[in-house]
Amino acid sequence: MKRPTIADVARRAGVSKGAVSYALNGQPGVSEATRQRILAIAAEIGYSPSSAARALSGATANAVGLALCRPARTLGIEPFFMELISGIEAALSARSYALTLQVVADQEAEIAVYRRWWAERRVDGVFVCDLRTHDPRVPALETLQLPAVVIGGPGHTGNLASVWSDDAAALVETVEYLGALGHRRIARVGGLPSLLHTEIRTDAFDQVCRRLGLDGAVTVWSDYTGEEGARATRRLLSSATRPTAIIYDNDVMAIAGLSVAQEMGLSVPGDLSLVAWDDSPLCQLVHPPLTALGRDIPAYGAHAARQLLAVIAGDPVTGLQDETAHLTPRGSTAPPRER
Amino acid sequence: MKRPTIADVARRAGVSKGAVSYALNGQPGVSEATRQRILAIAAEIGYSPSSAARALSGATANAVGLALCRPARTLGIEPFFMELISGIEAALSARSYALTLQVVADQEAEIAVYRRWWAERRVDGVFVCDLRTHDPRVPALETLQLPAVVIGGPGHTGNLASVWSDDAAALVETVEYLGALGHRRIARVGGLPSLLHTEIRTDAFDQVCRRLGLDGAVTVWSDYTGEEGARATRRLLSSATRPTAIIYDNDVMAIAGLSVAQEMGLSVPGDLSLVAWDDSPLCQLVHPPLTALGRDIPAYGAHAARQLLAVIAGDPVTGLQDETAHLTPRGSTAPPRER
DNA sequence: CTGAAAGCGCTTACAG
DNA sequence: CTGAAAGCGCTTACAG
């Protein structure tokens, strides 16, 4: 089947190719009647402008890129990324933008991908996930002048636009809630310590525990996998002064932790309260269902997409604070049982 | 920062643009010494050919498309798709192909996306997931002559290439195993009944149960969500002749089923054995860990990607049978307890 | 082995 | 409001 071109539409409509271009792009230069006729003919013969030709004539690529730097196993098991991508995608396709995805091994490879995308003019902009302090991707993107939106923060984003959520506030709310239930020894199983949001949560955790005088507070780090979450939990629960409550940096680790507690003969929430960060449907599938910190991740992705399109359009864009995660108490938290 | 073009490389190397093109694409027409010099200069100034210009001059778009027709919530929670995408991506990026992703609402919208991608010359080929019998996407793609690989089957793929796994065999193995343990009343919580692989599994289930004389065999359908999996399980376990074993069409439903069994006071595996299809890490996070049917999903995606690249290259490609899922027995299956 | 040139299908000033 | 033309950055026959 031969693909229709702008010339086919022009011939049928009895106008020049330029007129067709103006009509399709909503530019002035054609009468409304002509525009309608041209649009009808384009629809009739199934014409869509070649993205290559369009991109080559200086217009945009109509595509944005997302490079993910996580191994396949954590990508697969964490609902977060797929939900984020769904949200990004929904906002992009509403504006007929395509999403180009690439999985990379490390930050260096990620920067190389940005450079290639830029040189190939393949994308008009990119999303940056898993921000770190002193993140080399930020200056690299600034140098390339490739439009970008950081999904994360606040701070450490240089001149790049960003979308972020107040993790510190969510963590403080959680600790205060556990404190109000009567917990004095609260532990936290954090995510990768190199990620900015892990650092933000850790700092907030230390501060609020100090403020509430909870000196049994301890953070151990993990990598978001169930295996590591289980190992960290086993270590915490084997200590002489074991915690009565644990906060996990994702839901997969929390579910693994629940399993470990049951295997060690502890009752949840009687002997141990558990809180998961990221309230995916998984949290309600286990027994007892997990108290969790949740927010609308697809919406977060959609906001990031709209920010990126604004940056590409040249609008002045800075940081956008998204909804703060809220705590949904379920069966995994209760006052600590006296020992 | 200005993007380097082929002219910049040609000027520096003191050759024509044509020569640079030949050198970069590994075509004859330049001496090996010149080729090396040109490649070195390209690398030095960070040159990558504009994908738009390349696509416009009749070469390929160097991108393939994947349209996913699932709501955000099941996409997020099912590790399957993200693992598949990881595998596809790894095989594609090894050949510097980009993956374009789009989430669509239904099959009609999906066909419209294919048509648009084709008209825009945005992709060189596409992957087709969630195959149905009499799937309208198959003739649509045949008409467009857009290279495609169906991820699923066997059968019902028209002239399109495909990658598939023998679900019938895996299901038979599972039922025979449960039968050998002594189970006589086996139920199955299936996925969406409209999907081909659900049909294949259902037929295989009916046949093997008949062959083994298990007349309590029953299949109920679901939509892969935990909620529906829980509801289906509750219904099955409330029946007077409740099953002693249940096979689930994905792991999320199996985990929900485990939770329901526990909530109803049944012990797993004492009163009820459970088997999950799709052996993601989730299966080992619950208590007891789930017996599951698993296979290497990233590899499945990688095979599909290599098939698609072969179709695009014009190689003769037909159906490729991938590994059959194998059963990993864990704590959720045992002989039924006498009642 | 190399160079000059046409052409891919658009967009966008520039004349009319 | 419309048409003719240049130009985006490649690839690929076609001469030399």
Side-chain angles (χ1 to χ4, degrees):
Chain A
M1 211 166 143
K2 202 189 156 302
R3 293 177 175 87
T5 69
I6 198 170
D8 299 321
V9 179
R11 200 178 321 111
R12 286 233 199 184
V15 298
S16 70
K17 296 191 296 173
V20 175
S21 176
Y22 289 139
L24 261 61
N25 295 312
Q27 305 270 18
V30 286
S31 69
E32 193 48 37
T34 310
R35 185 192 307 280
Q36 290 306 333
R37 195 158 50 85
I38 290 172
L39 289 178
I41 290 171
E44 184 195 335
I45 68 175
Y47 170 73
S48 295
S50 153
S51 57
R54 193 171 241 179
L56 191 54
S57 358
T60 59
N62 273 304
V64 296
L66 173 62
L68 291 177
C69 179
R70 293 268 186 117
R73 34 203 309 273
T74 71
L75 265 185
I77 204 181
E78 278 208 87
F80 177 84
F81 281 106
M82 202 72 218
E83 290 185 5
L84 186 74
I85 289 172
S86 299
I88 287 175
E89 230 299 307
L92 288 179
S93 59
R95 304 252 236 118
S96 356
Y97 254 78
L99 177 65
T100 294
L101 200 75
Q102 173 116 33
V103 178
V104 294
D106 52 43
Q107 289 210 321
E108 204 175 331
E110 190 172 330
I111 291 173
V113 166
Y114 292 151
R115 246 183 250 289
R116 185 165 55 76
W117 279 346
W118 169 83
E120 292 179 345
R121 295 154 176 75
R122 201 182 266 281
V123 300
D124 298 324
V126 298
F127 298 102
V128 178
C129 292
D130 285 342
L131 187 66
R132 301 168 186 231
T133 49
H134 309 295
D135 198 306
R137 296 172 299 172
V138 171
L141 288 168
E142 286 174 342
T143 304
L144 290 176
Q145 293 183 37
L146 185 60
V149 165
V150 175
I151 300 181
H156 305 270
T157 59
N159 299 317
L160 304 182
S162 68
V163 180
W164 57 281
S165 173
D166 191 349
D167 278 10
L171 195 107
V172 167
E173 181 192 346
T174 305
V175 173
E176 288 179 340
Y177 165 73
L178 292 172
L181 287 179
H183 291 277
R184 308 300 299 166
R185 286 194 311 284
I186 303 176
R188 176 167 162 269
V189 176
L192 291 171
S194 55
L195 300 181
L196 177 62
H197 78 263
T198 305
E199 215 169 291
I200 289 175
R201 294 177 186 183
T202 304
D203 290 350
F205 182 65
D206 290 348
Q207 278 177 32
V208 67
C209 289
R210 210 173 308 127
R211 174 158 62 76
L212 299 181
L214 309 175
D215 31 52
V218 53
T219 295
V220 297
W221 285 273
S222 177
D223 66 356
Y224 303 113
T225 64
E227 287 86 338
E228 279 303 307
R231 195 165 306 148
T233 306
R234 231 172 256 121
R235 223 170 334 153
L236 287 170
L237 297 182
S238 306
S239 133
T241 57
R242 67 159 198 256
T244 60
I246 306 179
I247 303 171
Y248 293 85
D249 258 9
N250 77 352
D251 48 7
V252 171
M253 294 193 294
I255 291 170
L258 172 63
S259 192
V260 166
Q262 292 171 341
E263 137 206 328
M264 291 176 73
L266 296 177
S267 105
V268 174
D271 300 317
L272 180 69
S273 285
L274 300 177
V275 179
W277 202 307
D278 288 342
D279 188 6
S280 77
L282 291 176
C283 295
Q284 299 179 58
L285 294 185
V286 291
H287 203 77
L290 296 179
T291 295
L293 275 164
R295 61 196 176 97
D296 189 339
I297 303 299
Y300 189 47
H303 294 154
R306 281 196 280 272
Q307 285 262 100
L308 184 53
L309 293 177
V311 175
I312 291 168
D315 301 346
V317 172
T318 55
L320 171 69
Q321 180 174 1
D322 205 73
E323 161 194 26
T324 300
H326 49 265
L327 191 71
T328 301
R330 298 203 184 91
S332 69
T333 43
R337 190 185 288 168
E338 301 302 325
R339 273 197 275 176
Chain B
M1 210 167 144
K2 204 192 155 299
R3 293 179 175 85
T5 70
I6 198 170
D8 298 322
V9 179
R11 198 176 323 111
R12 286 234 198 181
V15 298
S16 69
K17 297 192 294 173
V20 175
S21 176
Y22 290 139
L24 261 62
N25 294 311
Q27 305 270 16
V30 286
S31 69
E32 194 48 37
T34 309
R35 184 191 308 280
Q36 291 307 333
R37 195 157 49 85
I38 290 172
L39 289 178
I41 289 170
E44 183 195 335
I45 68 176
Y47 169 74
S48 294
S50 152
S51 57
R54 191 172 243 179
L56 191 54
S57 2
T60 60
N62 274 303
V64 296
L66 173 63
L68 292 176
C69 179
R70 293 268 185 115
R73 34 203 309 273
T74 71
L75 264 186
I77 202 180
E78 278 208 86
F80 177 84
F81 281 106
M82 202 72 218
E83 289 185 6
L84 186 74
I85 289 171
S86 298
I88 287 175
E89 229 299 308
L92 289 179
S93 59
R95 304 253 236 118
S96 353
Y97 254 77
L99 177 66
T100 294
L101 201 75
Q102 174 117 30
V103 177
V104 294
D106 51 42
Q107 289 210 322
E108 204 175 331
E110 188 172 330
I111 290 173
V113 165
Y114 291 152
R115 245 182 251 289
R116 185 164 55 74
W117 278 347
W118 170 81
E120 292 180 347
R121 294 154 177 75
R122 200 181 266 282
V123 301
D124 298 324
V126 298
F127 297 102
V128 178
C129 290
D130 284 343
L131 187 66
R132 299 165 189 236
T133 49
H134 309 296
D135 197 307
R137 296 172 298 172
V138 172
L141 288 168
E142 286 174 343
T143 303
L144 290 176
Q145 293 182 38
L146 184 60
V149 164
V150 175
I151 300 181
H156 304 270
T157 59
N159 299 318
L160 303 182
S162 68
V163 180
W164 58 281
S165 173
D166 192 348
D167 278 10
L171 195 110
V172 167
E173 182 192 347
T174 305
V175 173
E176 287 179 340
Y177 165 72
L178 292 172
L181 287 180
H183 291 277
R184 308 300 298 166
R185 286 194 311 284
I186 302 176
R188 176 168 162 269
V189 176
L192 291 171
S194 56
L195 299 181
L196 176 63
H197 77 262
T198 305
E199 216 170 290
I200 288 175
R201 294 177 187 183
T202 304
D203 290 350
F205 182 66
D206 290 348
Q207 279 177 32
V208 67
C209 289
R210 209 173 308 125
R211 174 160 62 77
L212 299 182
L214 310 176
D215 31 52
V218 54
T219 295
V220 296
W221 285 273
S222 177
D223 66 356
Y224 302 114
T225 64
E227 288 87 337
E228 279 303 305
R231 196 166 306 146
T233 306
R234 233 172 254 121
R235 223 170 336 156
L236 288 170
L237 297 182
S238 305
S239 133
T241 56
R242 66 157 199 258
T244 60
I246 307 180
I247 303 170
Y248 293 85
D249 258 10
N250 77 351
D251 48 7
V252 171
M253 295 193 294
I255 290 169
L258 172 62
S259 192
V260 165
Q262 292 171 342
E263 136 207 329
M264 291 177 74
L266 295 177
S267 103
V268 174
D271 300 316
L272 179 69
S273 285
L274 300 178
V275 179
W277 202 306
D278 289 340
D279 188 6
S280 78
L282 291 177
C283 294
Q284 299 179 58
L285 293 185
V286 291
H287 202 78
L290 296 179
T291 295
L293 275 163
R295 61 197 176 95
D296 189 339
I297 302 300
Y300 189 47
H303 295 153
R306 281 195 279 271
Q307 284 262 101
L308 184 53
L309 294 177
V311 175
I312 290 168
D315 301 346
V317 172
T318 55
L320 170 69
Q321 179 172 359
D322 205 73
E323 162 194 25
T324 300
H326 49 264
L327 191 71
T328 302
R330 299 202 184 90
S332 69
T333 43
R337 190 185 289 167
E338 302 302 327
R339 275 197 275 178

